[in-house]
Amino acid sequence: MGHAEADGCAGAQVEFQEVLQAAGVRLTQQRRRFWEWAAGQKRGFTISQALSAMKRCGIGQATVYRNTTTLERLGLLRRIGNGNGSDRMYCCCKPGHHHSIVCASCGLVKEFDTCGWALLKELLSLQTGFEVEDHYMEVRGICPECQAAKR
């Protein structure tokens, strides 16, 4: 199942560099450090958490916000729900078609690429008359570790 089995995006360094290069975005040392930190996160993270982690590396607030915006625009970061609507959370992801399943208890994020999009797109178009262009899906649940802890 490819990337759906991986935690975070630790194996996505090559894709990261390729995406930046294709978009004409420079690979700065700060951007690399931010990506390496983000890619190592198994759980969704907030801007506050990123700011705290990057401050220890000497990377400032403006750089964190700029890199978050840039990497989200390039499809390397995705906003995810945290269940209570407070802080925005992000997760690292590979570009392309995939979705997130997020543990409502601990915030663990896994990606999956199965959603039956072609069939769903056709059905939605027939039912609504819309010319469907794109979709976003996020699934929430309880991960195996949190299930075991509740028992």
Side-chain angles (χ1 to χ4, degrees), residues 5-135:
E5 301 300 322
D7 291 331
C9 274
Q13 189 64 29
V14 173
E15 286 103 347
F16 171 69
Q17 292 172 3
E18 289 173 357
V19 169
L20 292 182
Q21 187 175 25
V25 174
R26 287 182 354 135
L27 176 56
T28 64
Q29 185 171 351
Q30 291 95 344
R31 188 164 285 138
R32 180 186 303 275
R33 279 201 174 144
F34 178 75
W35 172 257
E36 287 170 353
W37 176 82
Q41 304 306 301
K42 292 182 179 182
R43 289 165 174 66
F45 61 88
T46 64
I47 289 288
S48 296
Q49 291 168 324
L51 287 170
S52 179
M54 293 298 98
K55 186 175 184 179
R56 291 189 294 270
C57 299
I59 297 174
Q61 179 176 336
T63 302
V64 170
Y65 278 102
R66 191 172 34 253
N67 278 305
T68 301
T69 300
T70 299
L71 297 180
E72 184 179 13
R73 178 177 53 83
L74 295 175
L76 293 165
L77 284 182
R78 175 182 291 156
R79 288 182 204 193
I80 58 171
N82 65 356
N84 64 15
S86 59
D87 290 337
R88 282 190 183 144
M89 293 182 67
Y90 295 86
C91 69
C92 171
C93 58
K94 285 177 32 175
H97 181 253
H98 56 274
H99 306 286
S100 301
I101 184 164
V102 182
C103 179
S105 182
C106 72
L108 179 69
V109 180
K110 299 256 184 179
E111 290 184 333
F112 63 96
D113 57 12
T114 306
C115 72
W117 172 237
L119 179 60
L120 181 59
K121 180 179 177 180
E122 195 65 32
L123 286 172
L124 287 172
S125 186
L126 288 171
Q127 288 178 355
T128 65
F130 274 66
E131 184 177 310
V132 180
E133 296 177 351
D134 199 3
H135 71 295

Side-chain angles (χ1 to χ4, degrees), residues 133-144:
E133 296 177 351
D134 199 3
H135 71 295
Y136 170 81
M137 180 170 45
E138 181 179 293
V139 179
R140 300 189 63 72
I142 305 296
C143 72

